[in-house]
Amino acid sequence: MRRASIVVDVQKDFCEGGTVPVKGGADRATGLLQAAVDASETPTNRGESSSA
């Protein structure tokens, strides 16, 4: 079974300087997006061979 996560419409509205700013919003959004990227990286989709 394959799993997928889709990140849709990330906006700066809740980041500092946005229309509804939240302190630390930019850092939080960046961290969540980076965690999603890190979780999706497997030997297969990084261009590495999964066989030895």
Side-chain angles (χ1 to χ4, degrees), residues 1-2 37-52:
M1 176 190 313
R2 298 182 84 176
V37 168
D38 292 345
S40 71
E41 291 182 344
T42 63
T44 302
N45 68 16
R46 278 186 277 160
E48 301 172 8
S49 174
S50 59
S51 61

Side-chain angles (χ1 to χ4, degrees), residues 5 7 27-41:
S5 294
V7 179
D27 290 336
R28 183 68 164 228
T30 301
L32 289 170
L33 292 171
Q34 187 60 55
V37 168
D38 292 345
S40 71
E41 291 182 344

Side-chain angles (χ1 to χ4, degrees), residues 14-17 20-28:
F14 296 104
C15 299
E16 297 81 355
V20 187
V22 175
K23 184 177 179 181
D27 290 336
R28 183 68 164 228

